[in-house]
Amino acid sequence: MDATGDPPAVVPVNPFSPTAVARVAEGRAQATTVTTAAIRDALAHLDHYLRSGDSGTVAVVGDYGTGKTHLAAELLAQARERTGGAIRAIYLDAPADTFLSLSRQLLGRLSRDTVRALVEGHRAASPAVTAPDDIPDGSPTAGRLDERLRAELAPVTTDPSVGTVLAMLLDPATEATAWDWLTGHPPGPALAAAGVPARVDVESDAVAVMGALALLCGQRHGRFVVVLDEVDKFLSAAGGPGDDTMARFSRLIELFASVGAFLVIAGLPDMLHLFSPDVRQRIGPIVRMSALSARDVRDFIRRSQLRTFGQARLAPFTVETTEYLTNLTDGVPRRLIRLCYHLYQRAAQADTPVTHLMVREAVRVQFDLASRQDVAADVRRVLTQDGWSYQRDHLVGSLRDLPVDFWVPLEEQNAGCCVLLTESVLKSEEVDALNRRVVAIRAAVPDSEVILVVVGHLPAEFAADLAETFSVEPIVYEPQSFPEDLSGSVKASLRRLEQALGADALTSVRTRVERIQRQQTNAQRSIERLAYQLDEIRDDLRHDLRHPAQREHSPRRPEVASTPLPGPVARLFGDAIQALDQLTGFDRHLREAFAPTGTEIRQTVENAALLRSGLRSRDVQRALGTSMVLRRLIEAFHHGVERWYEGHRRAPRPGDLDRLDRLCETYDGIVEYLPLFQLDMLGDLAVPGDGGPTEQPERSRSWTEARSVFDGLSARVRRLLVNA
């Protein structure tokens, strides 16, 4: 807080994380860990490897928020702790859709100096190769090292170039060009003179490089542990893995096993179905993330408070509220931790224990992120796109009954499908009320199907009870999957009604033809609206081109210096935007491609050619779209924090920190769904801070640094504001 501002409202230290998003970084204290069955199984496999050296691949699968990344961090920490740091343990986030990107990430985690030291250690351990560091590359000793490396790498790769390039890392004259080749660049003149040919298959070469690195790390340290997280994104980034991708992934698993490495691959449960049979056969044990029990939750609460306050206490929670909390969240760790944070905050401010009512209110606030109006609009869009005729707020039965949200009639018959919307279902009384409503609807219209859409949270126990009464299992609203889920449920429900009623073939055909006609009409309207919007954009562009001087002198957005935020917080937002600009470089290239007359023509032509070349790729186009959405998200988050800070500085209120937490959670909730891995596709457009040429290793480091800025932005903003 500045000297001119009022002190913030006094709130207790909260031992729980407001976001519950695991991060893996060296040097950080590990989060509180509860030893679940999944963690016990994974650590047992790690212990066996550390004792016996039996290499292999372990798969860790689980849904979002079940603790896969936390388990990865725990495995890495335990590997370092149990060996006294004697082995190398590396975490790789695998969102990119190329093995070259994955290899570059591994090289970045190790660093050029480390790889060079590994080769040095390899030479020192060889009795046949002992020479001082200043031996030139063309010397017989360097040649013997080259030959020995190639011989030992023969099981990893049949390409002798890998051993040649690794040996050339030891010569300062060829170190830079050798590192460039390892990161995917074509061989430079020095490498070409040493017999390194042009690349034929960059992706397969990247797999061979990773295998060689695993071999060197394992020989130097005796053990090598690698955790490859979010593998499902890696496999599905390009719309599904092809045969080449599966073959390379299978080869990667085979290489790591052959050199004695311990590989952990983590992802969603669908990851296992994406693998080919050949890859699945190479995967050893499968660890499935399990839900937390109420006992686990109490253990977590006590451990968290012991870590923060030095005292393992359960208050302000009770045994009863932890049981209730676990049931409502289905034991999903991320949900539980977030709710523990908010419940602790509220109980501490009110100086009361956590109650069942407080738990229900917190669940509704945190999980009912969409409104019924928004979901109703999505339902309308789905029904319209599928060509169904429907009625909104249709009365089924008598005036005493509540209208259904949507009624999709089966043409010319007293039958149809109801779509009911409800908020979070958190009490058995709410389940009973919904079941009674279904009974009333079917009493009024016996030939009817009922689909329940839950806008919020539905515990698994209540979902099972409702599925027995409703026509289909309730749909819990998720923006990404909802249109497909609802469309499939409506089609299946109406098809069952047709079959039950024995509709004649002619009526069925006529109904389908009418629905197709409505779909075509709706599609035509959408095309017309799109054409109108394009015309408006074209007119705006023409207006801008006619008035370039006005654009040059148009008022600019206020700089960071004019913000009311404290300096460190303002710099965080400024650094985030600067990192995004440096990562993409699109705006600068676009400006220079349209540089005014009098500037360097050659540079202008080169920038225009670079843009044309890059924009031919759909991956680059998608990545640019992601970068623009990310920029708008950061700017909106910045604006929201500014408004919060202005109000907090003028008149601090007890609930200010809760409002700040909601802002941070909104940012985290959106950025979590952004495919940030696509930004790695913009490497060829990236620019350094001074606008000069960018070397590939520098681009890799810029990407790593920028990604950390976006991922941890809200947590750093909150910490600085609370401590200001």
Side-chain angles (χ1 to χ4, degrees), residues 294-310:
R295 182 176 180 178
D296 292 333
V297 174
R298 289 191 288 273
D299 187 19
F300 169 76
I301 292 172
R302 291 189 178 100
R303 287 173 180 263
S304 298
Q305 299 203 69
L306 174 63
R307 182 175 181 174
T308 304
F309 306 120

Side-chain angles (χ1 to χ4, degrees), residues 29-59:
Q30 290 295 308
T32 303
T33 298
V34 176
T35 307
T36 62
I39 288 182
R40 279 194 298 270
D41 290 346
L43 290 178
H45 297 313
L46 176 66
D47 283 340
H48 176 73
Y49 168 71
L50 295 177
R51 289 195 309 269
S52 67
D54 293 341
S55 59
T57 300
V58 174

